[in-house]
Amino acid sequence: MKRILAGLTLASCAALMAATPAQAAPVNPVKALKKQYVAGHGVRVSETSRTTMNGKTGQVRTTTGALGFGKSGVVAADLRFREKGGVSGLSPSRSITVGKHTYVQGGIYSEGLPEDKKWIRYADPSVIHTSQPLDVFDSKVLKALVSKAKSAKGGTYRGSLTFADVSKLYGEKIDKRLGKIKINYALDLNSKGLITGVRSEYTMDFGVLGSTTATVNTRFTGWGAKITIKAPPSDQVVDHSELGADTEVPQEIPNGSLDSLGRVQ
């Protein structure tokens, strides 16, 4: 009888092992992302950034457009921006980055331009001018978001990093007070390990000026789509260096650096 029971137990275990599919190893998102870096292809991006000042809704900024890839990563971008509330007009309404230049138009970037010009060209190779403090196209940042997540369910990694943590990944120096601020995040990956979204939230306390909370929701769609990004027509472009010294056009485009977040506009 004991031999029969033992045999049944072994048979049952074997049946269960055969019926249970082997768990596949999780896809490495850094490797999955690098496979997408093919010239002529890219991904579409949409983003909503909201600020709340002392509990009241401040500025809402939306970004839509496309990012173009090269062998090294994101090499081009065509982005459109809209702002509501807060101080508007400080950002361009559209930016195009190709090669070693970024072209912008709209808002204060369109004031005082020659009549036949619609774009200002900056010697600025920075590609992604969005509100998202977590650059998931930086392999160090993406790896940290996955490895430091406190939970990972259904393809969503949740955790938190301080600005000091992120500044080290970027190789930037920031104010020590800003470095203590915590960024809560949620990173969404699909079954192929590709990023479908990243959400971040952080609160800055400016003392007597009160506190400001920023939430940024960035979504990515159409991985691998054919994307062509070209510079604006040359006859519509004026180089920033050609503008007069008395121009009110900014000397540079806000680059979303971590240190700039600590400056009260």
Side-chain angles (χ1 to χ4, degrees), residues 159-226:
S160 63
L161 294 170
T162 64
F163 272 106
D165 295 330
V166 180
S167 69
K168 291 179 181 179
L169 298 173
Y170 289 147
E172 292 185 12
K173 293 183 178 180
I174 61 173
D175 186 285
K176 292 183 179 180
R177 293 169 296 179
L178 181 63
K180 297 178 181 180
I181 296 174
K182 182 185 296 184
I183 306 174
N184 296 312
Y185 68 85
L187 173 72
D188 298 325
L189 303 176
N190 63 18
S191 59
K192 296 181 179 179
L194 295 173
I195 307 156
T196 57
V198 57
R199 299 181 296 283
S200 63
E201 180 177 311
Y202 58 90
T203 299
M204 295 183 290
D205 192 340
F206 296 108
V208 294
L209 296 178
S211 63
T212 297
T213 298
T215 58
V216 187
N217 188 352
T218 310
R219 310 298 298 175
F220 300 99
T221 58
W223 284 98
K226 291 184 177 180

Side-chain angles (χ1 to χ4, degrees), residues 27-37 142 192-194:
V27 180
N28 185 320
V30 175
K31 291 183 178 180
L33 179 60
K34 289 183 177 180
K35 289 181 180 180
Q36 296 295 311
Y37 292 159
L142 179 55
K192 296 181 179 179
L194 295 173

Side-chain angles (χ1 to χ4, degrees), residues 45-95:
V45 58
S46 62
E47 178 181 282
T48 301
S49 172
R50 302 176 185 274
T51 59
T52 303
M53 302 180 67
N54 299 323
K56 297 181 179 179
T57 301
Q59 186 183 71
V60 178
R61 184 173 188 252
T62 59
T63 303
T64 57
L67 307 178
F69 296 149
K71 293 182 179 180
S72 60
V74 181
V75 298
D78 186 349
L79 302 172
R80 297 175 183 270
F81 312 94
R82 290 185 179 181
E83 296 177 343
K84 293 182 179 180
V87 180
S88 60
L90 297 180
S91 297
S93 59
R94 186 180 180 186
S95 73

